[in-house]
Amino acid sequence: MFNRIRWRLVGWTVLVLVLILAMVGVVVYASLAGSLTAEIDRNLSSRSDGLLSTLEEASEHPGLGLQGYSGSLFFLVLGPDGKLLDNPQQVDTSGLSLGARVGGNPYFETSVVAGEPTRLFVRPVLLRHSLPVVFVVGESLAPEQHALERLLTVLLIAGLGGLLLSLGGAWFLAGRALVPIQQTFRRQSEFVGDASHELRTPLTVMRAAADLLNRHRSDPLEANGELFDDLRYEIGRMERLSADLLALARSDLTRDSLAVGEIDVAGLAADVVRRMTPLAQERGVSLGCESQEEPLLIEGDPDRLQQLLLILLDNGLKHTPKGGIISVVAKRHGHDALIAVSDNGEGIAPEHLPRIFDRFYRADKTRSRAQGGAGLGLSIAKAIVEAHAGQLAVDSALGSGTTVTVRLRLLHQQPSLTGRLGELTSRMARRSAR
């Protein structure tokens, strides 16, 4: 599939380049041809003025004394009736038809003279002591035609070479452009496969329990209590998984889609720790919060940030043994609000750290599944932090615990009205002093 898309991208790219090169070639060719024609026209007009002066000084035979002109330049003198009066260069004028009339306006035209394209300047004139005549100055366009042909050859060769190079470049760039698409497609395929696997397990258990209940319809409910417990557990697991998937899908929203407001993250962290303390005590884990007295104000979505802290604390509780300690620290760090959740639990092996934010990834799959986890918590947490333009980092060592650090940008404090008035007064005083 991706090879077909790649070839389509290459085809469209090459087609666009062909059109661009063709347009550029046509413009260059037409510009040079027009420039050469204009230069020849100026030369013919200048030569016509010089030859006309010579004609006026000659005797009654027009053309006398002009036999020295030769080469690609020639001139003719025609009578008012179009009859050839003088042809010093003995140019073959057969087939040459000039419609000029004495008293008309001079003009340029291109004709074929002696089998060659020729530029003509036709100028009706009235000489002193002579009849009105039509003066024609011409120059062969063969050298210019050869130059244009060489230019056309160069343009074609250069265009063909450029197309070959662009084909290779387009193939390379198309491959590079498809890399993130392929990665996204692969992650999506893995996501769908992992989600299907996670859903298949509870569905299989529920189906087996339902089949057993169906076989023992006549038995009292008390006799099948374990089956009902299994069903309730798997239903709860599917509910948690569905909620995590929904949260992960919503986490792809932009910052503009968040319910942003002013939040004191220190107070928020303390409130979440307070609510999680009974659960920590039930599991025999000590949970504490340390924060500065000053508020840490940020702009954020309180529901999402609360969900973030709950995910981090829930992960800490799952991987901290009885008698362990979990601490939450909220403090100012430069222009950021820093929230660190640390535990002295089992920690994470170095080979697992690069992938802990991947969806459905679990370092200990058996234990995580037994605890009801699906490997989506840290993915959701990272998405929430990124939606708030923050940073999320994990520092852990196997057997030494884990520390998850969240950095969020603090609100810029606006100056008070008195401060702004004082600053304005100071500026005016400085300007007056100048």
Side-chain angles (χ1 to χ4, degrees):
M1 178 182 69
F2 286 105
N3 283 333
R4 185 168 63 253
I5 296 175
R6 190 175 187 179
W7 276 114
R8 288 182 180 178
L9 289 174
V10 170
W12 280 108
T13 303
V14 172
L15 178 61
V16 171
L17 288 175
V18 166
L19 294 177
I20 293 175
L21 291 176
M23 292 177 61
V24 171
V26 169
V27 170
V28 170
Y29 185 87
S31 299
L32 182 59
S35 178
L36 292 175
T37 302
E39 182 64 28
I40 291 174
D41 290 348
R42 286 192 296 270
N43 183 51
L44 291 177
S45 180
S46 176
R47 291 298 185 93
S48 173
D49 293 338
L51 295 175
L52 184 58
S53 299
T54 304
L55 277 176
E56 290 179 343
E57 295 174 358
S59 60
E60 12 177 76
H61 299 289
L64 186 61
L66 299 178
Q67 289 82 357
Y69 290 92
S70 60
S72 60
L73 184 68
F74 67 91
F75 77 93
L76 304 172
V77 180
L78 305 178
D81 56 355
K83 183 179 179 181
L84 184 63
L85 299 180
D86 201 354
N87 184 6
Q89 286 76 34
Q90 301 300 315
V91 177
D92 184 9
T93 60
S94 59
L96 184 62
S97 176
L98 298 174
R101 293 291 182 268
V102 176
N105 296 322
Y107 65 92
F108 292 94
E109 74 171 23
T110 301
S111 300
V112 177
V113 177
E116 292 184 355
T118 304
R119 189 67 172 174
L120 301 176
F121 178 47
V122 183
R123 183 175 184 179
V125 297
L126 182 60
L127 300 176
R128 295 192 304 266
H129 312 295
S130 177
L131 296 174
V133 295
V134 177
F135 188 50
V136 181
V137 182
E139 185 175 359
S140 174
L141 295 177
E144 287 74 16
Q145 290 284 14
H146 293 319
L148 291 175
E149 290 174 0
R150 288 194 298 270
L151 173 64
L152 184 60
T153 302
V154 170
L155 289 176
L156 291 176
I157 294 176
L160 182 60
L163 285 179
L164 292 177
L165 291 176
S166 66
L167 180 62
W171 178 262
F172 173 76
L173 292 177
R176 296 288 296 177
L178 286 174
V179 168
I181 300 176
Q182 290 174 326
Q183 292 176 348
T184 302
F185 183 80
R186 183 171 59 254
R187 286 197 298 267
Q188 182 179 1
S189 299
E190 293 175 354
F191 176 79
V192 173
D194 292 339
S196 301
H197 177 75
E198 293 294 331
L199 290 171
R200 185 169 59 247
T201 301
L203 287 174
T204 302
V205 174
M206 293 171 64
R207 178 62 181 269
D211 289 341
L212 286 175
L213 288 174
N214 185 50
R215 293 175 186 174
H216 302 85
R217 285 175 176 267
S218 59
D219 294 348
L221 293 177
E222 291 80 4
N224 299 307
E226 292 184 358
L227 293 178
F228 281 105
D229 291 338
D230 291 341
L231 281 173
R232 293 180 68 253
Y233 175 79
E234 295 301 334
I235 290 174
R237 184 179 172 189
M238 290 187 66
E239 287 178 346
R240 291 191 298 272
L241 179 59
S242 300
D244 288 344
L245 291 174
L246 180 60
L248 196 59
R250 289 177 176 175
S251 67
D252 293 332
L253 300 176
T254 62
R255 180 177 174 84
D256 295 335
S257 302
L258 299 175
V260 177
E262 186 176 303
I263 307 171
D264 178 12
V265 291
L268 180 66
D271 182 63
V272 173
V273 169
R274 179 184 59 80
R275 286 186 286 140
M276 291 289 289
T277 298
L279 180 59
Q281 293 175 347
E282 181 182 340
R283 297 187 180 184
V285 176
S286 175
L287 176 60
C289 180
E290 178 185 347
S291 62
Q292 298 175 345
E293 294 182 0
E294 63 172 334
L296 302 176
L297 299 179
I298 68 167
E299 280 190 348
D301 188 329
D303 293 335
R304 293 298 182 90
L305 293 177
Q306 178 177 288
Q307 182 185 12
L308 166 67
L309 292 174
L310 288 174
I311 290 173
L312 298 182
L313 290 176
D314 182 63
N315 273 351
L317 290 174
K318 286 178 180 177
H319 300 285
T320 301
K322 188 175 182 179
I325 300 174
I326 299 177
S327 64
V328 178
V329 178
K331 63 181 180 179
R332 176 188 295 269
H333 188 272
H335 298 288
D336 297 330
L338 186 145
I339 304 173
V341 180
S342 304
D343 64 67
N344 61 351
E346 58 194 32
I348 304 173
E351 62 269 18
H352 296 302
L353 280 175
R355 297 198 58 191
I356 59 175
F357 295 112
D358 293 348
R359 299 174 180 181
F360 292 106
Y361 184 80
R362 291 173 296 216
D364 188 348
K365 297 182 182 296
T366 304
R367 182 172 181 180
S368 297
R369 184 174 289 110
Q371 294 172 341
L376 293 176
L378 288 179
S379 298
I380 298 173
K382 183 180 180 182
I384 293 174
V385 174
E386 290 178 347
H388 287 81
Q391 297 178 351
L392 179 65
V394 177
D395 183 18
S396 180
L398 194 61
S400 301
T402 302
T403 299
V404 182
T405 305
V406 178
R407 291 177 180 268
L408 299 171
R409 194 70 171 177
L410 286 170
L411 274 174
H412 296 292
Q413 298 298 323
Q414 298 295 331
S416 63
L417 178 59
T418 304
R420 286 187 295 218
L421 288 176
E423 183 181 355
L424 180 60
T425 304
S426 300
R427 289 182 181 177
M428 292 177 65
R430 288 196 298 268
R431 291 181 181 177
S432 299
R434 291 178 184 174

